[in-house]
């Protein structure tokens, strides 16, 4: 007989929790046995119920509330320090919040569903994936979760055969992980020196907290590579390559868990805040030496160093996203913008493409989240359409159209962002994100490094839109220009094809003479937003003196002692190859190359050159340089993995839609229009286009997008 589930009572806020039974000598091969029981998350005990009504309880700050709760209780079983989630001990009775005890939530990767193991639940055999069974086995052998401290694991605690229950429980993920006493991030069983990897991160965290201001760790490791241990860098690389970091669902689970989260790999553990501090040191202080440290470890172990590579995707995910989002969640800041959710979904994997949306509901604003009812009976394109509509209607903003195009695989309407399209979305390409660069320019510890002055193409104009049906969006705006010339298309992220250049038949700069056109060009190359999200200024004309090749640049960087730029040999290709491919692109009677010099001025600033280099590296990704019929220049979508026909084209219209922060490229399509994507047009990003209406150079009209 299979395991039977009793329906959960939504009115009582019920979930199911596991209790692990001690290992029995009578059980063959030590099969994991557990008890599954229904519990109510609204059944607070009298003491905690009273605490939730006190001034010490903050619904929006879990960490502060938990600390205040602990401090308010009689410390009958040790100091507060002993209650650190790193220990994974159940909270003593005096600290438990519910009439039935308390619980932890498990964050893990299901793994290969064809490779299962047998466990016993309520006396019935149940097959679970090997990764989950290994976690339960380690917990059982450590005598964890064997009393009134339960464990929530989705594969068992949700009836996976009941689509309606799955949908309801998915909507509760924010609450389940947010309320848990502890969230356990299970990376898997011990293997390949995983304990040494966690010890390294702990050492980096200690350095972060004590010696960072007075000690050059990168210099010490360059002279003494074994300073922090032998083999530890290879071990950390292997830890960061584990499947856990690539799973979409873990993102909201980690963010919701935040300060109560602990990372477990076998029996080794480290709390989340310490882990983030250690990774911050790797990202900010050791980025330029980490590759050599890894190569040395691999070579010493008898491996081939050329095959050794850091999982930078995982490192960026933790440093740029999870760490920052966790801190914001701790302080009650929630509700990620549409573009951020898409970037996160694009960076991770999920078994069901609908989960690109459903798996992030916990990170959406409450007003949006309540509109999304997980329904696994509808197709992904239906899910993506509903989330676009929800954001547009909730925030009265057409900014979701910036992520839209007609090239996605699920065949959504062109105004709907297809969350499966990977033709050019990159977190590092976002103008809204902090720059990629040295720690002193854009690190997490730099004040205002992530502040962003948004574009306001409509000058704050009110959104005017209607949905005719599930496929048509009608909104108001006006045409400002059309595309006359296009630079070389990207061939993936690492090359450009100069044969794809489309030269304008004629072009006269709207900005004025050569000097004014040069000013417009340098602002365009950095998208008029630099470090800290500020608008560019005259000093950013430095980009016009950034050498076109690293061979020419390196000696000039070294002569000036510009260390970070001098280390860019393997990263400079983006500037070098883009310049090479587009040197003969014409802006009127001048070639693009004519605007640049390879000589860095004597009085040049390292900060300025580093900043513009990092800005361009961001701006040119997923974008194609363009010039327009009316004499503007800018950037338009570049479908880097698409076919020749699935691209921005000469003659495509550039419009400003009321309620959208950037211009949009569109194309007539029968009786309607298609959205091609966002545009950056120098001189039309901060409300200047509204003058077109005032001067009657443009006429407001309706556009219906299909």
């Amino acid at each position: 007989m299979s395991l039977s589930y009793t329906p959960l009572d939504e009115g009582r806020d019920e979930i199911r929790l596991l209790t692990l039974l001690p290992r029995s000598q009578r059980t063959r091969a030590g099969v994991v046995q557990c008890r599954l029981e229904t519990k109510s998350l609204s059944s607070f005990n009298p003491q905690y119920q009273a605490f939730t009504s006190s001034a010490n309880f903050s619904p929006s700050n879990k960490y502060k509330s938990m600390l205040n709760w602990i401090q308010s209780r009689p410390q009958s079983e040790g100091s507060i320090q002993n209650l650190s989630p790193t220990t994974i001990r159940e909270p003593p009775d005096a600290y438990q919040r519910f009439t039935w005890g308390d619980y932890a939530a498990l964050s893990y990767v299901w793994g290969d569903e064809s490779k299962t193991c047998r466990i016993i639940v309520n006396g019935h055999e149940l097959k679970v994936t090997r990764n989950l069974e290994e976690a339960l086995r380690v917990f059982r052998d450590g005598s964890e979760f064997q009393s009134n401290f339960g464990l929530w694991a989705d594969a068992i605690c949700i009836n996976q055969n009941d689509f309606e229950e799955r949908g309801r429980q998915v909507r509760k993920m924010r609450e389940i992980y947010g309320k848990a006493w502890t969230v356990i991030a299970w990376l898997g069983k011990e293997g390949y020196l995983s304990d040494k990897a966690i010890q390294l991160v702990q050492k980096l965290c200690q350095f972060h907290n004590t010696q960072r201001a007075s000690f050059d760790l990168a210099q010490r490791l360059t002279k003494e590579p074994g300073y922090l241990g032998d083999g530890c860098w290879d071990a950390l690389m292997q830890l960061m390559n584990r499947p856990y970091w690539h799973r979409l669902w873990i993102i909201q689970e980690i963010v919701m868990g935040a300060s109560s989260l602990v990372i477990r790999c076998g029996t080794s553990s480290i709390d989340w805040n310490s882990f983030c501090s250690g990774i911050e040191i790797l990202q900010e202080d050791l980025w330029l030496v980490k590759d050599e440290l890894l190569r040395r470890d691999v070579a010493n172990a008898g491996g081939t160093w050329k095959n050794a590579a850091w999982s930078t995707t995982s490192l960026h995910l933790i440093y740029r996203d999870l760490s920052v989002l966790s801190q914001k969640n701790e302080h009650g800041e929630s509700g990620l913008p549409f573009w951020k959710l898409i970037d996160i979904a694009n960076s991770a994997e999920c078994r069901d493409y609908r989960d690109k949306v459903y798996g992030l509901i916990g990170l959406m604003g409450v007003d949006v989240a309540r509109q999304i009812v997980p329904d696994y009976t509808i197709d992904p394109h239906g899910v993506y359409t509903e989330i676009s509509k929800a954001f547009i209607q909730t925030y009265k903003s057409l900014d979701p159209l910036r992520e839209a195009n007609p090239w996605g695989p699920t065949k959504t309407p062109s105004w709907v962002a297809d969350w499966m399209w990977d033709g050019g979305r990159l977190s590092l390409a976002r103008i809204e994100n902090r720059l990629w660069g040295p720690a002193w320019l854009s690190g997490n510890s730099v004040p205002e490094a992530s502040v962003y002055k948004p574009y306001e193409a409509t000058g704050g104009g009110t959104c005017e839109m209607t949905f005719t049906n599930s496929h048509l969006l009608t909104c108001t705006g006006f045409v400002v220009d059309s595309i006359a010339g296009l630079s070389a298309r990207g061939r993936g992220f690492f090359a450009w094809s100069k044969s794809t250049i489309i030269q304008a038949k004629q072009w006269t700069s709207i900005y004025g003479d050569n000097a004014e056109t040069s000013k417009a060009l340098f602002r365009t190359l950095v998208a008029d937003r630099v470090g800290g999200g500020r608008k560019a200024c005259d000093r950013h004309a430095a980009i016009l003196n950034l050498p076109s090749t690293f061979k020419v640049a390196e000696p000039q960087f070294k002569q000036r002692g510009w260390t970070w730029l001098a280390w860019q040999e393997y990263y400079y290709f983006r500037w070098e190859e883009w310049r090479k491919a587009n040197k003969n692109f014409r802006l009127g009677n001048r070639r693009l190359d004519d605007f640049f010099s390879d000589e860095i001025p004597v009085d040049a600033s390292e900060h300025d050159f580093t900043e513009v280099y990092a800005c361009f590296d961001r701006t040119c990704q997923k974008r194609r340089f363009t010039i327009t019929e009316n004499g503007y220049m800018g950037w338009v979508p570049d479908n880097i993995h698409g076919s020749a026909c699935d691209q921005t084209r000469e003659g495509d219209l550039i419009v400003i839609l009321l309620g959208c922060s950037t211009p949009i490229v569109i194309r007539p399509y029968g009786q309607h229009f298609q959205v091609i994507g966002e545009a950056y047009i120098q001189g039309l990003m901060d409300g200047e286009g509204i003058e077109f209406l005032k001067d009657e150079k443009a006429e407001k009209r309706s556009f219906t997008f299909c």
Side-chain angles (χ1 to χ4, degrees):
M1 183 182 297
S2 62
L3 177 66
S4 62
Y5 288 87
T6 302
L8 296 171
D9 187 339
E10 290 290 303
R12 298 191 66 244
D13 207 5
E14 287 184 342
I15 62 172
R16 302 184 187 93
L17 294 175
L18 290 167
T19 300
L20 304 182
L21 304 181
R23 181 169 182 166
S24 171
Q25 294 181 347
R26 294 174 296 176
T27 305
R28 248 189 355 261
V31 174
V32 173
Q33 298 188 65
C34 42
R35 186 170 61 247
L36 184 65
E37 299 175 302
T38 299
K39 306 293 183 181
S40 169
L41 291 181
S42 60
S43 295
F44 295 136
N45 61 41
Q47 295 81 10
Y48 191 72
Q49 184 69 58
F51 173 76
T52 61
S53 301
S54 71
N56 289 325
F57 178 75
S58 174
S60 62
N61 193 324
K62 177 185 176 182
Y63 176 74
K64 182 178 179 181
S65 293
M66 290 287 273
L67 205 59
N68 288 341
W69 165 245
I70 291 171
Q71 291 174 337
S72 73
R73 308 304 299 145
Q75 297 183 28
S76 57
E77 300 195 29
S79 67
I80 293 175
Q81 285 73 22
N82 290 336
L83 294 173
S84 165
T86 308
T87 61
I88 310 299
R89 279 190 253 165
E90 64 182 64
D93 291 347
Y95 297 93
Q96 293 175 0
R97 299 166 294 167
F98 303 94
T99 56
W100 42 265
D102 222 309
Y103 76 102
L106 185 64
S107 174
Y108 69 106
V109 175
W110 278 34
D112 189 342
E113 293 185 63
S114 66
K115 297 178 181 179
T116 60
C117 297
R118 184 172 65 94
I119 66 172
I120 305 298
V121 181
N122 292 350
H124 299 284
E125 182 177 302
L126 182 68
K127 289 185 176 180
V128 298
T129 58
R130 182 177 298 171
N131 190 44
L132 177 55
E133 193 274 344
E134 289 170 347
L136 297 177
R137 183 175 294 276
V138 168
F139 299 155
R140 182 202 62 185
D141 293 347
S143 300
E144 301 176 56
F145 306 110
Q146 294 186 353
S147 57
N148 55 353
F149 187 50
L151 177 68
W152 190 87
D154 61 350
I156 304 173
C157 297
I158 297 176
N159 182 357
Q160 298 296 327
N161 295 320
D162 185 337
F163 285 134
E164 289 188 8
E165 179 176 300
R166 277 176 58 187
R168 290 193 297 269
Q169 289 287 284
V170 164
R171 294 187 76 187
K172 286 176 68 72
M173 292 295 191
R174 187 200 302 256
E175 179 184 12
I176 292 170
Y177 284 90
K179 277 188 176 180
W181 176 273
T182 297
V183 174
I184 304 169
W186 174 257
L187 304 191
K189 64 180 182 179
E190 289 184 17
Y192 202 86
L193 304 177
S194 54
D195 56 337
K196 184 172 285 191
I198 289 179
Q199 288 170 12
L200 172 61
V201 180
Q202 289 170 331
K203 290 177 182 178
L204 294 177
C205 172
Q206 291 169 2
F207 172 79
H208 179 281
N209 297 335
T210 57
Q211 297 176 276
R212 190 178 191 184
S214 59
F215 187 79
D216 190 334
L217 182 60
Q219 187 178 62
R220 179 64 177 269
L221 287 168
T222 300
K223 295 179 179 179
E224 188 182 343
Y227 175 64
L228 294 178
D230 292 322
C232 56
W233 303 101
D234 190 14
L236 181 57
M237 182 270 289
Q238 298 287 348
L239 190 78
M240 298 313 301
N241 278 338
R242 290 197 175 217
Y244 179 83
W245 301 112
H246 304 286
R247 175 178 173 261
L248 178 70
W249 285 94
I250 66 107
I251 295 170
Q252 71 169 0
E253 294 164 3
I254 286 176
V255 173
M256 294 300 108
S259 60
S260 65
L261 183 135
V262 60
I263 291 175
R264 284 281 294 267
C265 191
T267 57
S268 298
S269 63
I270 181 172
D271 70 89
W272 175 244
N273 290 337
S274 296
F275 191 80
C276 289
S277 294
I279 296 300
E280 181 178 306
I281 292 296
L282 183 65
Q283 289 279 109
E284 295 190 358
D285 295 23
L286 306 179
W287 188 258
L288 298 179
V289 300
K290 69 180 184 1
D291 292 337
E292 187 56 40
L293 293 168
L294 175 60
R295 290 168 186 164
R296 175 183 177 274
D297 274 359
V298 172
N300 288 345
T304 304
W305 68 263
K306 289 184 178 180
N307 296 329
W310 288 97
S311 175
T312 53
T313 300
S314 301
L315 293 174
H316 289 324
L317 175 67
I318 295 167
Y319 173 71
R320 301 178 72 95
D321 292 323
L322 295 180
S323 175
V324 175
L325 295 177
S326 297
Q327 294 176 35
K328 289 184 176 181
N329 185 66
E330 288 293 340
H331 294 92
E333 299 179 43
S334 61
L336 295 184
F338 191 79
W339 63 265
K340 188 68 172 180
L341 292 166
I342 281 191
D343 280 357
I344 291 174
N346 196 52
S347 68
E349 301 170 358
C350 55
R351 294 180 305 120
D352 190 315
Y353 292 128
R354 289 165 287 206
D355 287 338
K356 284 183 174 288
V357 172
Y358 297 158
L360 298 176
I361 288 178
L363 302 181
M364 298 175 189
V366 174
D367 290 339
V368 171
R370 66 164 55 103
Q371 298 178 54
I372 306 303
V373 180
D375 183 350
Y376 289 92
T377 65
I378 62 177
D379 293 329
H381 71 83
V383 177
Y384 303 154
T385 300
E386 287 306 307
I387 190 64
S388 286
K389 288 178 64 175
F391 265 88
I392 290 171
Q393 292 176 319
T394 299
Y395 297 111
K396 302 295 187 291
S397 168
L398 292 175
D399 270 7
L401 271 65
R402 294 173 58 185
E403 312 304 322
N405 61 58
W407 306 317
T410 63
K411 306 304 179 185
T412 58
S414 70
W415 58 269
V416 171
D418 189 331
W419 291 47
M420 287 171 60
W421 179 70
D422 66 351
R425 293 193 184 115
L426 262 187
S427 178
L428 291 174
R430 292 287 183 189
I431 309 299
E432 294 87 344
N433 279 337
R434 68 178 67 234
L435 289 174
W436 169 74
W440 50 262
L441 175 67
S442 59
N444 284 351
S445 57
V446 177
E448 306 302 315
S450 61
V451 173
Y452 168 63
K453 177 176 172 51
Y455 298 125
E456 293 185 85
T458 58
T462 304
C463 174
E464 299 176 12
M465 54 76 192
T466 56
F467 295 98
T468 306
N469 53 43
S470 62
H471 302 293
L472 299 179
L473 166 66
T474 300
C475 50
T476 304
F478 53 97
V479 176
V480 293
D481 215 333
S482 63
I483 293 173
L486 291 161
S487 68
R489 276 176 46 203
R491 298 292 193 188
F493 292 112
F494 306 107
W496 286 263
S497 174
K498 63 181 179 181
S499 65
T500 61
I501 288 176
I502 299 174
Q503 300 283 11
K505 296 178 178 62
Q506 60 180 16
W507 187 79
T508 301
S509 173
I510 198 170
Y511 308 105
D513 60 17
N514 285 340
E516 292 303 314
T517 301
S518 291
K519 289 181 181 179
L521 178 60
F522 87 68
R523 288 182 178 274
T524 301
L525 293 174
V526 299
D528 206 25
R529 294 294 185 273
V530 293
R534 298 180 300 274
K535 282 177 66 69
C537 60
D538 288 346
R539 64 184 178 86
H540 297 108
I543 197 169
L544 301 180
N545 289 93
L546 186 64
S548 58
T549 69
F550 190 72
K551 183 178 180 180
V552 174
E554 184 181 24
Q556 298 186 66
F557 294 156
K558 287 184 174 180
Q559 180 185 6
R560 291 165 172 78
W562 294 357
T563 307
W564 190 83
L565 284 170
W567 276 78
Q568 292 303 300
E569 179 179 3
Y570 298 110
Y571 301 94
Y572 207 80
F573 70 89
R574 206 178 304 281
W575 173 249
E576 185 169 325
E577 293 299 319
W578 187 86
R579 286 282 306 275
K580 179 181 177 182
N582 292 296
K583 66 180 182 179
N584 292 319
F585 183 77
R586 304 202 67 83
L587 286 81
N589 58 4
R590 300 183 74 190
R591 299 180 312 145
L592 182 64
D593 211 44
D594 296 336
F595 288 87
F596 298 94
S597 168
D598 276 352
E599 293 297 320
I600 300 176
V602 175
D603 59 349
S605 159
E606 178 184 12
H607 184 281
D608 294 348
F609 273 75
T610 304
E611 190 169 37
V612 295
Y613 168 76
C615 285
F616 178 82
D617 188 83
R618 168 198 66 188
T619 306
C620 74
Q621 297 186 57
K622 79 169 188 176
R623 299 180 180 90
R624 197 172 176 185
F625 188 79
T626 189
I627 55 178
T628 72
E629 290 289 346
N630 292 336
Y632 288 95
M633 65 178 74
W635 300 92
V636 290
D638 189 6
N639 187 12
I640 60 176
H641 299 309
S643 65
C645 61
D646 289 337
Q647 302 292 335
T648 306
R649 302 175 189 168
E650 177 186 7
D652 283 344
L653 302 177
I654 299 169
V655 300
I656 290 177
L657 301 175
L658 300 185
C660 187
S661 60
T662 70
I664 297 292
V665 180
I666 69 171
R667 181 180 301 156
Y669 191 78
Q671 296 180 325
H672 306 306
F673 292 88
Q674 285 184 326
V675 172
I676 305 302
E678 70 173 357
Y680 172 91
I681 304 298
Q682 176 59 35
L684 294 178
M685 302 305 293
D686 295 305
E688 303 94 334
I690 296 300
E691 296 300 317
F692 282 51
L693 294 178
K694 295 179 180 178
D695 297 340
E696 298 184 350
K697 293 180 180 178
E699 182 179 352
K700 189 163 36 171
R701 54 162 293 181
S702 293
F703 299 90
T704 297
F705 297 107
C706 58

